[in-house]
Short mmCIF file of all heavy atoms in Angstrom, two decimals:
data_model
loop_
_atom_site.label_atom_id
_atom_site.label_comp_id
_atom_site.label_asym_id
_atom_site.label_seq_id
_atom_site.Cartn_x
_atom_site.Cartn_y
_atom_site.Cartn_z
N VAL A 24 1.17 -12.87 2.40
CA VAL A 24 1.86 -12.65 1.11
C VAL A 24 2.78 -13.83 0.79
O VAL A 24 2.93 -14.22 -0.31
CB VAL A 24 2.62 -11.32 1.08
CG1 VAL A 24 3.45 -11.11 -0.13
CG2 VAL A 24 1.68 -10.16 1.31
N ALA A 25 3.40 -14.39 1.84
CA ALA A 25 4.30 -15.51 1.59
C ALA A 25 3.57 -16.71 1.02
O ALA A 25 4.13 -17.42 0.21
CB ALA A 25 4.97 -15.90 2.94
N THR A 26 2.33 -16.88 1.42
CA THR A 26 1.54 -18.06 0.90
C THR A 26 0.83 -17.71 -0.36
O THR A 26 0.30 -18.59 -1.03
CB THR A 26 0.55 -18.57 1.97
OG1 THR A 26 -0.33 -17.53 2.28
CG2 THR A 26 1.30 -19.08 3.17
N ALA A 27 0.74 -16.40 -0.72
CA ALA A 27 0.01 -15.99 -1.93
C ALA A 27 0.78 -14.87 -2.60
O ALA A 27 0.39 -13.74 -2.68
CB ALA A 27 -1.38 -15.54 -1.55
N PRO A 28 1.98 -15.20 -3.14
CA PRO A 28 2.87 -14.15 -3.66
C PRO A 28 2.34 -13.47 -4.93
O PRO A 28 2.90 -12.44 -5.36
CB PRO A 28 4.16 -14.88 -3.94
CG PRO A 28 3.75 -16.31 -4.14
CD PRO A 28 2.59 -16.52 -3.22
N TYR A 29 1.26 -13.92 -5.52
CA TYR A 29 0.69 -13.30 -6.72
C TYR A 29 -0.71 -12.79 -6.49
O TYR A 29 -1.49 -12.57 -7.41
CB TYR A 29 0.68 -14.32 -7.88
CG TYR A 29 2.11 -14.81 -8.22
CD1 TYR A 29 2.53 -16.07 -7.86
CD2 TYR A 29 3.03 -13.90 -8.81
CE1 TYR A 29 3.85 -16.47 -8.13
CE2 TYR A 29 4.34 -14.33 -9.07
CZ TYR A 29 4.68 -15.62 -8.71
OH TYR A 29 6.01 -16.01 -8.97
N SER A 30 -1.04 -12.59 -5.21
CA SER A 30 -2.38 -12.11 -4.86
C SER A 30 -2.43 -10.64 -4.66
O SER A 30 -1.87 -10.11 -3.70
CB SER A 30 -2.81 -12.81 -3.55
OG SER A 30 -3.98 -12.20 -3.07
N PRO A 31 -3.09 -9.90 -5.58
CA PRO A 31 -3.21 -8.45 -5.39
C PRO A 31 -3.89 -8.11 -4.06
O PRO A 31 -3.57 -7.14 -3.44
CB PRO A 31 -3.94 -7.95 -6.60
CG PRO A 31 -4.43 -9.15 -7.35
CD PRO A 31 -3.74 -10.35 -6.76
N GLN A 32 -4.88 -8.95 -3.68
CA GLN A 32 -5.62 -8.67 -2.45
C GLN A 32 -4.68 -8.76 -1.22
O GLN A 32 -4.75 -7.95 -0.32
CB GLN A 32 -6.75 -9.67 -2.28
CG GLN A 32 -7.65 -9.37 -1.12
CD GLN A 32 -8.88 -10.23 -1.12
OE1 GLN A 32 -8.96 -11.27 -1.83
NE2 GLN A 32 -9.87 -9.85 -0.33
N ALA A 33 -3.78 -9.74 -1.23
CA ALA A 33 -2.83 -9.83 -0.13
C ALA A 33 -1.88 -8.64 -0.06
O ALA A 33 -1.62 -8.11 1.02
CB ALA A 33 -1.98 -11.15 -0.31
N PHE A 34 -1.43 -8.18 -1.23
CA PHE A 34 -0.50 -7.03 -1.23
C PHE A 34 -1.26 -5.73 -0.83
O PHE A 34 -0.71 -4.86 -0.21
CB PHE A 34 0.14 -6.89 -2.60
CG PHE A 34 1.39 -7.78 -2.68
CD1 PHE A 34 1.30 -8.99 -3.35
CD2 PHE A 34 2.58 -7.46 -2.16
CE1 PHE A 34 2.40 -9.82 -3.46
CE2 PHE A 34 3.75 -8.23 -2.21
CZ PHE A 34 3.60 -9.47 -2.85
N LEU A 35 -2.53 -5.58 -1.20
CA LEU A 35 -3.29 -4.44 -0.82
C LEU A 35 -3.45 -4.42 0.69
O LEU A 35 -3.21 -3.39 1.33
CB LEU A 35 -4.67 -4.44 -1.46
CG LEU A 35 -5.54 -3.23 -1.17
CD1 LEU A 35 -4.87 -1.92 -1.65
CD2 LEU A 35 -6.89 -3.37 -1.81
N GLY A 36 -3.78 -5.55 1.30
CA GLY A 36 -3.88 -5.62 2.72
C GLY A 36 -2.56 -5.32 3.42
O GLY A 36 -2.53 -4.59 4.42
N LEU A 37 -1.47 -5.85 2.87
CA LEU A 37 -0.17 -5.58 3.41
C LEU A 37 0.15 -4.11 3.32
O LEU A 37 0.66 -3.47 4.29
CB LEU A 37 0.91 -6.38 2.69
CG LEU A 37 2.34 -6.19 3.10
CD1 LEU A 37 2.55 -6.56 4.55
CD2 LEU A 37 3.27 -6.95 2.17
N GLY A 38 -0.11 -3.48 2.17
CA GLY A 38 0.17 -2.05 2.00
C GLY A 38 -0.59 -1.18 2.98
O GLY A 38 -0.06 -0.28 3.59
N ILE A 39 -1.88 -1.50 3.18
CA ILE A 39 -2.71 -0.77 4.11
C ILE A 39 -2.17 -0.92 5.53
O ILE A 39 -2.04 0.07 6.29
CB ILE A 39 -4.20 -1.17 3.99
CG1 ILE A 39 -4.76 -0.76 2.66
CG2 ILE A 39 -5.00 -0.62 5.16
CD1 ILE A 39 -6.12 -1.36 2.32
N SER A 40 -1.85 -2.12 5.91
CA SER A 40 -1.30 -2.36 7.24
C SER A 40 0.00 -1.64 7.47
O SER A 40 0.24 -1.02 8.51
CB SER A 40 -1.12 -3.89 7.46
OG SER A 40 -2.33 -4.55 7.40
N LEU A 41 0.88 -1.75 6.50
CA LEU A 41 2.22 -1.08 6.68
C LEU A 41 2.05 0.45 6.74
O LEU A 41 2.71 1.10 7.53
CB LEU A 41 3.12 -1.43 5.45
CG LEU A 41 3.63 -2.86 5.46
CD1 LEU A 41 4.27 -3.19 4.15
CD2 LEU A 41 4.62 -3.04 6.61
N GLU A 42 1.11 0.98 5.98
CA GLU A 42 0.86 2.43 6.03
C GLU A 42 0.39 2.83 7.42
O GLU A 42 0.82 3.79 8.02
CB GLU A 42 -0.11 2.84 4.96
CG GLU A 42 -0.44 4.34 4.99
CD GLU A 42 -1.55 4.73 4.08
OE1 GLU A 42 -2.16 3.83 3.47
OE2 GLU A 42 -1.83 5.94 4.00
N ARG A 43 -0.53 2.07 7.96
CA ARG A 43 -1.09 2.36 9.28
C ARG A 43 -0.01 2.28 10.38
O ARG A 43 -0.09 2.98 11.39
CB ARG A 43 -2.22 1.43 9.62
CG ARG A 43 -3.47 1.76 8.80
CD ARG A 43 -4.62 0.81 9.13
NE ARG A 43 -5.79 1.20 8.38
CZ ARG A 43 -6.83 0.43 8.22
NH1 ARG A 43 -6.87 -0.76 8.77
NH2 ARG A 43 -7.84 0.82 7.45
N LEU A 44 0.96 1.42 10.17
CA LEU A 44 2.09 1.27 11.12
C LEU A 44 3.14 2.35 10.93
O LEU A 44 4.07 2.40 11.72
CB LEU A 44 2.71 -0.12 10.99
CG LEU A 44 1.82 -1.26 11.48
CD1 LEU A 44 2.46 -2.60 11.04
CD2 LEU A 44 1.64 -1.20 12.99
N GLY A 45 3.00 3.17 9.90
CA GLY A 45 3.97 4.23 9.62
C GLY A 45 5.13 3.80 8.73
O GLY A 45 6.07 4.58 8.58
N HIS A 46 5.05 2.63 8.17
CA HIS A 46 6.12 2.18 7.23
C HIS A 46 5.73 2.54 5.81
O HIS A 46 5.40 1.67 4.98
CB HIS A 46 6.29 0.63 7.39
CG HIS A 46 6.63 0.19 8.78
ND1 HIS A 46 7.88 0.34 9.33
CD2 HIS A 46 5.86 -0.33 9.73
CE1 HIS A 46 7.89 -0.09 10.56
NE2 HIS A 46 6.67 -0.51 10.86
N ARG A 47 5.82 3.83 5.52
CA ARG A 47 5.31 4.33 4.27
C ARG A 47 6.05 3.81 3.05
O ARG A 47 5.42 3.55 2.03
CB ARG A 47 5.28 5.86 4.30
CG ARG A 47 4.28 6.36 5.33
CD ARG A 47 4.36 7.88 5.54
NE ARG A 47 4.05 8.64 4.34
CZ ARG A 47 2.84 9.08 4.05
NH1 ARG A 47 1.85 8.89 4.85
NH2 ARG A 47 2.65 9.81 2.93
N GLU A 48 7.31 3.70 3.09
CA GLU A 48 8.09 3.21 1.90
C GLU A 48 7.74 1.77 1.59
O GLU A 48 7.48 1.40 0.44
CB GLU A 48 9.58 3.38 2.15
CG GLU A 48 10.41 3.12 0.93
CD GLU A 48 10.04 4.00 -0.29
OE1 GLU A 48 9.68 5.17 -0.06
OE2 GLU A 48 10.16 3.50 -1.42
N ASP A 49 7.66 0.94 2.61
CA ASP A 49 7.27 -0.45 2.42
C ASP A 49 5.83 -0.54 1.91
O ASP A 49 5.50 -1.38 1.08
CB ASP A 49 7.45 -1.28 3.70
CG ASP A 49 8.92 -1.45 4.08
OD1 ASP A 49 9.78 -1.46 3.15
OD2 ASP A 49 9.18 -1.54 5.29
N ALA A 50 4.99 0.33 2.48
CA ALA A 50 3.58 0.35 2.03
C ALA A 50 3.49 0.72 0.57
O ALA A 50 2.73 0.13 -0.19
CB ALA A 50 2.78 1.34 2.90
N ARG A 51 4.30 1.73 0.19
CA ARG A 51 4.27 2.18 -1.23
C ARG A 51 4.68 1.00 -2.14
O ARG A 51 4.03 0.78 -3.16
CB ARG A 51 5.24 3.36 -1.38
CG ARG A 51 5.21 3.98 -2.77
CD ARG A 51 6.24 5.07 -2.94
NE ARG A 51 7.60 4.58 -2.74
CZ ARG A 51 8.26 3.89 -3.62
NH1 ARG A 51 7.70 3.53 -4.77
NH2 ARG A 51 9.51 3.51 -3.41
N ARG A 52 5.67 0.25 -1.73
CA ARG A 52 6.12 -0.90 -2.58
C ARG A 52 5.03 -1.95 -2.69
O ARG A 52 4.80 -2.49 -3.79
CB ARG A 52 7.43 -1.47 -2.08
CG ARG A 52 8.65 -0.64 -2.42
CD ARG A 52 9.93 -1.46 -2.13
NE ARG A 52 10.20 -1.58 -0.72
CZ ARG A 52 10.85 -0.72 0.00
NH1 ARG A 52 11.31 0.34 -0.52
NH2 ARG A 52 11.06 -0.95 1.28
N ALA A 53 4.38 -2.24 -1.58
CA ALA A 53 3.33 -3.23 -1.61
C ALA A 53 2.15 -2.78 -2.50
O ALA A 53 1.59 -3.57 -3.25
CB ALA A 53 2.81 -3.52 -0.18
N LEU A 54 1.79 -1.51 -2.40
CA LEU A 54 0.66 -0.99 -3.19
C LEU A 54 1.04 -0.98 -4.68
O LEU A 54 0.21 -1.25 -5.55
CB LEU A 54 0.27 0.41 -2.72
CG LEU A 54 -0.33 0.44 -1.32
CD1 LEU A 54 -0.43 1.87 -0.79
CD2 LEU A 54 -1.65 -0.26 -1.26
N GLN A 55 2.32 -0.69 -5.00
CA GLN A 55 2.74 -0.72 -6.35
C GLN A 55 2.67 -2.14 -6.93
O GLN A 55 2.39 -2.38 -8.11
CB GLN A 55 4.14 -0.12 -6.53
CG GLN A 55 4.15 1.37 -6.36
CD GLN A 55 5.54 1.95 -6.38
OE1 GLN A 55 6.51 1.28 -6.05
NE2 GLN A 55 5.63 3.22 -6.74
N LYS A 56 2.92 -3.11 -6.08
CA LYS A 56 2.87 -4.53 -6.49
C LYS A 56 1.45 -4.91 -6.88
O LYS A 56 1.24 -5.67 -7.80
CB LYS A 56 3.39 -5.43 -5.35
CG LYS A 56 3.47 -6.85 -5.65
CD LYS A 56 4.68 -7.18 -6.46
CE LYS A 56 4.78 -8.72 -6.56
NZ LYS A 56 6.05 -9.15 -7.14
N VAL A 57 0.46 -4.35 -6.19
CA VAL A 57 -0.97 -4.61 -6.48
C VAL A 57 -1.16 -4.18 -7.96
O VAL A 57 -1.78 -4.92 -8.75
CB VAL A 57 -1.90 -3.84 -5.58
CG1 VAL A 57 -3.35 -3.99 -6.02
CG2 VAL A 57 -1.75 -4.29 -4.13
N ILE A 58 -0.70 -3.01 -8.30
CA ILE A 58 -0.91 -2.46 -9.64
C ILE A 58 -0.16 -3.28 -10.67
O ILE A 58 -0.70 -3.52 -11.77
CB ILE A 58 -0.46 -0.97 -9.67
CG1 ILE A 58 -1.32 -0.16 -8.72
CG2 ILE A 58 -0.52 -0.41 -11.07
CD1 ILE A 58 -0.79 1.21 -8.35
N LEU A 59 1.02 -3.74 -10.35
CA LEU A 59 1.77 -4.62 -11.26
C LEU A 59 1.07 -5.95 -11.50
O LEU A 59 1.00 -6.44 -12.65
CB LEU A 59 3.15 -4.91 -10.71
CG LEU A 59 4.25 -4.01 -11.11
CD1 LEU A 59 5.52 -4.31 -10.32
CD2 LEU A 59 4.56 -4.17 -12.60
N LEU A 60 0.51 -6.55 -10.45
CA LEU A 60 -0.09 -7.84 -10.58
C LEU A 60 -1.43 -7.81 -11.28
O LEU A 60 -1.78 -8.77 -11.98
CB LEU A 60 -0.31 -8.47 -9.18
CG LEU A 60 0.96 -8.90 -8.46
CD1 LEU A 60 0.64 -9.27 -7.00
CD2 LEU A 60 1.60 -10.08 -9.17
N ALA A 61 -2.22 -6.77 -11.12
CA ALA A 61 -3.56 -6.71 -11.64
C ALA A 61 -3.96 -5.29 -12.03
O ALA A 61 -4.78 -4.68 -11.39
CB ALA A 61 -4.56 -7.33 -10.67
N PRO A 62 -3.35 -4.75 -13.06
CA PRO A 62 -3.55 -3.33 -13.37
C PRO A 62 -4.99 -2.95 -13.69
O PRO A 62 -5.38 -1.82 -13.46
CB PRO A 62 -2.63 -3.06 -14.58
CG PRO A 62 -2.31 -4.43 -15.12
CD PRO A 62 -2.44 -5.39 -13.98
N GLN A 63 -5.79 -3.90 -14.15
CA GLN A 63 -7.19 -3.56 -14.51
C GLN A 63 -8.20 -3.88 -13.39
O GLN A 63 -9.36 -3.62 -13.51
CB GLN A 63 -7.60 -4.28 -15.80
CG GLN A 63 -6.71 -3.99 -17.01
CD GLN A 63 -6.66 -2.50 -17.33
OE1 GLN A 63 -7.66 -1.82 -17.31
NE2 GLN A 63 -5.46 -2.01 -17.61
N ASP A 64 -7.74 -4.52 -12.35
CA ASP A 64 -8.58 -4.95 -11.25
C ASP A 64 -9.01 -3.73 -10.38
O ASP A 64 -8.22 -2.78 -10.25
CB ASP A 64 -7.78 -5.95 -10.39
CG ASP A 64 -8.67 -6.69 -9.38
OD1 ASP A 64 -9.11 -6.04 -8.42
OD2 ASP A 64 -8.85 -7.88 -9.58
N PRO A 65 -10.20 -3.79 -9.87
CA PRO A 65 -10.59 -2.69 -8.90
C PRO A 65 -9.64 -2.52 -7.74
O PRO A 65 -9.49 -1.46 -7.19
CB PRO A 65 -11.97 -3.14 -8.46
CG PRO A 65 -12.50 -3.99 -9.55
CD PRO A 65 -11.31 -4.68 -10.10
N LEU A 66 -8.94 -3.60 -7.34
CA LEU A 66 -7.99 -3.50 -6.29
C LEU A 66 -6.83 -2.56 -6.66
O LEU A 66 -6.29 -1.82 -5.82
CB LEU A 66 -7.39 -4.87 -5.92
CG LEU A 66 -8.41 -5.87 -5.32
CD1 LEU A 66 -7.75 -7.23 -5.22
CD2 LEU A 66 -8.87 -5.41 -3.97
N ALA A 67 -6.45 -2.55 -7.96
CA ALA A 67 -5.41 -1.67 -8.41
C ALA A 67 -5.93 -0.19 -8.28
O ALA A 67 -5.10 0.70 -7.97
CB ALA A 67 -5.00 -1.99 -9.86
N SER A 68 -7.17 0.04 -8.56
CA SER A 68 -7.71 1.39 -8.39
C SER A 68 -7.63 1.80 -6.94
O SER A 68 -7.28 2.94 -6.65
CB SER A 68 -9.19 1.44 -8.86
OG SER A 68 -9.28 1.19 -10.25
N ALA A 69 -7.92 0.88 -6.04
CA ALA A 69 -7.82 1.19 -4.59
C ALA A 69 -6.37 1.50 -4.23
O ALA A 69 -6.09 2.43 -3.49
CB ALA A 69 -8.35 0.05 -3.77
N ALA A 70 -5.43 0.72 -4.77
CA ALA A 70 -4.00 0.96 -4.51
C ALA A 70 -3.57 2.30 -5.05
O ALA A 70 -2.83 3.05 -4.36
CB ALA A 70 -3.19 -0.18 -5.12
N ARG A 71 -4.03 2.63 -6.25
CA ARG A 71 -3.64 3.96 -6.84
C ARG A 71 -4.15 5.08 -5.96
O ARG A 71 -3.49 6.09 -5.72
CB ARG A 71 -4.20 4.08 -8.24
CG ARG A 71 -3.47 3.29 -9.26
CD ARG A 71 -4.00 3.53 -10.65
NE ARG A 71 -3.47 2.58 -11.60
CZ ARG A 71 -4.08 1.42 -11.95
NH1 ARG A 71 -5.24 1.16 -11.49
NH2 ARG A 71 -3.48 0.64 -12.80
N LYS A 72 -5.37 4.92 -5.46
CA LYS A 72 -5.96 5.96 -4.60
C LYS A 72 -5.16 6.12 -3.32
O LYS A 72 -4.84 7.23 -2.88
CB LYS A 72 -7.43 5.69 -4.26
CG LYS A 72 -8.05 6.76 -3.42
CD LYS A 72 -9.52 6.50 -3.16
CE LYS A 72 -10.15 7.59 -2.31
NZ LYS A 72 -9.35 8.46 -1.50
N ARG A 73 -4.80 5.01 -2.68
CA ARG A 73 -4.01 5.07 -1.46
C ARG A 73 -2.66 5.70 -1.71
O ARG A 73 -2.18 6.47 -0.91
CB ARG A 73 -3.87 3.70 -0.84
CG ARG A 73 -5.19 3.21 -0.27
CD ARG A 73 -5.00 2.12 0.71
NE ARG A 73 -4.66 2.65 1.98
CZ ARG A 73 -5.56 2.90 2.99
NH1 ARG A 73 -6.81 2.68 2.84
NH2 ARG A 73 -5.11 3.32 4.19
N LEU A 74 -2.00 5.34 -2.87
CA LEU A 74 -0.76 5.95 -3.17
C LEU A 74 -0.88 7.46 -3.34
O LEU A 74 -0.02 8.23 -2.89
CB LEU A 74 -0.16 5.31 -4.47
CG LEU A 74 0.43 3.90 -4.29
CD1 LEU A 74 0.67 3.28 -5.64
CD2 LEU A 74 1.72 3.98 -3.46
N ALA A 75 -1.91 7.89 -4.00
CA ALA A 75 -2.16 9.34 -4.20
C ALA A 75 -2.41 10.02 -2.84
O ALA A 75 -1.92 11.12 -2.60
CB ALA A 75 -3.34 9.59 -5.15
N ASP A 76 -3.20 9.37 -2.00
CA ASP A 76 -3.44 9.93 -0.67
C ASP A 76 -2.16 10.01 0.15
O ASP A 76 -1.93 10.98 0.89
CB ASP A 76 -4.45 9.08 0.09
CG ASP A 76 -5.87 9.18 -0.50
OD1 ASP A 76 -6.11 10.06 -1.35
OD2 ASP A 76 -6.69 8.33 -0.13
N MET A 77 -1.26 9.06 0.01
CA MET A 77 0.00 9.06 0.72
C MET A 77 0.85 10.24 0.25
O MET A 77 1.51 10.86 1.07
CB MET A 77 0.75 7.75 0.56
CG MET A 77 0.20 6.59 1.36
SD MET A 77 0.94 5.00 0.95
CE MET A 77 2.61 5.28 1.54
N LYS A 78 0.82 10.53 -1.04
CA LYS A 78 1.58 11.66 -1.56
C LYS A 78 1.06 12.97 -1.05
O LYS A 78 1.79 13.88 -0.78
CB LYS A 78 1.58 11.66 -3.09
CG LYS A 78 2.54 10.67 -3.72
CD LYS A 78 2.54 10.82 -5.22
CE LYS A 78 3.43 9.82 -5.82
NZ LYS A 78 3.44 9.94 -7.31
N ALA A 79 -0.24 13.05 -0.95
CA ALA A 79 -0.93 14.28 -0.52
C ALA A 79 -0.78 14.51 0.98
O ALA A 79 -0.91 15.65 1.46
CB ALA A 79 -2.38 14.29 -0.94
N ASP A 80 -0.57 13.43 1.73
CA ASP A 80 -0.55 13.51 3.20
C ASP A 80 0.85 13.16 3.66
O ASP A 80 1.21 12.03 3.76
CB ASP A 80 -1.57 12.54 3.80
CG ASP A 80 -1.59 12.62 5.32
OD1 ASP A 80 -1.23 13.68 5.90
OD2 ASP A 80 -1.97 11.56 5.93
N PRO A 81 1.69 14.20 3.93
CA PRO A 81 3.07 13.90 4.38
C PRO A 81 3.06 13.13 5.69
O PRO A 81 2.15 13.24 6.51
CB PRO A 81 3.71 15.27 4.54
CG PRO A 81 2.58 16.22 4.60
CD PRO A 81 1.40 15.61 3.97
N PRO A 82 4.10 12.31 5.91
CA PRO A 82 4.15 11.53 7.15
C PRO A 82 4.19 12.41 8.38
O PRO A 82 4.82 13.47 8.38
CB PRO A 82 5.44 10.72 6.98
CG PRO A 82 6.25 11.43 6.00
CD PRO A 82 5.29 12.18 5.08
N SER A 83 3.53 11.93 9.42
CA SER A 83 3.57 12.69 10.69
C SER A 83 4.91 12.32 11.41
O SER A 83 5.41 11.25 11.15
CB SER A 83 2.41 12.31 11.54
OG SER A 83 2.41 10.95 11.88
N PRO A 84 5.38 13.16 12.28
CA PRO A 84 6.65 12.86 12.94
C PRO A 84 6.53 11.58 13.80
O PRO A 84 7.47 10.86 13.90
CB PRO A 84 6.85 14.06 13.88
CG PRO A 84 5.91 15.11 13.40
CD PRO A 84 4.83 14.45 12.60
N ASN A 85 5.36 11.33 14.38
CA ASN A 85 5.12 10.09 15.14
C ASN A 85 3.97 9.36 14.49
O ASN A 85 2.82 9.70 14.72
CB ASN A 85 4.77 10.46 16.58
CG ASN A 85 4.58 9.22 17.44
OD1 ASN A 85 4.64 8.11 16.96
ND2 ASN A 85 4.35 9.44 18.72
N PRO A 86 4.24 8.27 13.75
CA PRO A 86 3.20 7.55 13.01
C PRO A 86 2.15 6.95 13.94
O PRO A 86 1.00 6.71 13.54
CB PRO A 86 3.91 6.48 12.25
CG PRO A 86 5.34 6.49 12.67
CD PRO A 86 5.55 7.73 13.51
N ARG A 87 2.43 6.73 15.19
CA ARG A 87 1.47 6.20 16.12
C ARG A 87 0.46 7.22 16.62
O ARG A 87 -0.48 6.87 17.32
CB ARG A 87 2.18 5.51 17.30
CG ARG A 87 3.06 4.35 16.87
CD ARG A 87 3.71 3.79 18.09
NE ARG A 87 4.93 3.07 17.80
CZ ARG A 87 4.99 1.84 17.32
NH1 ARG A 87 3.93 1.20 17.05
NH2 ARG A 87 6.17 1.29 17.08
N SER A 88 0.72 8.50 16.33
CA SER A 88 -0.15 9.54 16.79
C SER A 88 -1.45 9.68 16.02
O SER A 88 -2.29 10.50 16.35
CB SER A 88 0.61 10.88 16.82
OG SER A 88 0.91 11.28 15.49
N ARG A 89 -1.62 8.91 14.95
CA ARG A 89 -2.83 9.09 14.13
C ARG A 89 -4.00 8.44 14.77
O ARG A 89 -4.10 7.61 15.50
CB ARG A 89 -2.63 8.37 12.79
CG ARG A 89 -1.71 9.21 11.93
CD ARG A 89 -1.61 8.56 10.63
NE ARG A 89 -0.85 9.45 9.76
CZ ARG A 89 -0.90 9.43 8.51
NH1 ARG A 89 -1.67 8.59 7.87
NH2 ARG A 89 -0.18 10.22 7.79
#
């Protein structure tokens, strides 16, 4: 992201990685950035879906247990 601050693909990858690590708030911000950068891009659709999935799936007490 540091080398591509306007890349929706970079922010999508960051958001997915952060979510997997259990950093849900940071993941949410990265995914929202994808939507801001490219609202009509299919990557934005993927980000919207992940955000919806995150809302539907509350965080586990131990994020590493997944």
Side-chain angles (χ1 to χ4, degrees):
V24 175
T26 59
Y29 300 106
S30 169
Q32 187 172 15
F34 278 98
L35 181 61
L37 177 62
I39 291 169
S40 297
L41 288 168
E42 180 187 3
R43 288 181 180 164
L44 291 170
H46 302 283
R47 293 172 64 92
E48 188 59 32
D49 292 331
R51 186 184 62 75
R52 282 194 290 272
L54 294 169
Q55 288 175 334
K56 183 80 171 188
V57 175
I58 297 165
L59 267 172
L60 289 172
Q63 303 303 316
D64 193 289
L66 294 172
S68 296
R71 286 184 190 96
K72 181 177 180 340
R73 290 200 81 96
L74 285 167
D76 290 347
M77 286 172 65
K78 282 185 181 178
D80 181 26
S83 63
N85 181 359
R87 297 181 204 279
S88 66
R89 288 184 173 202

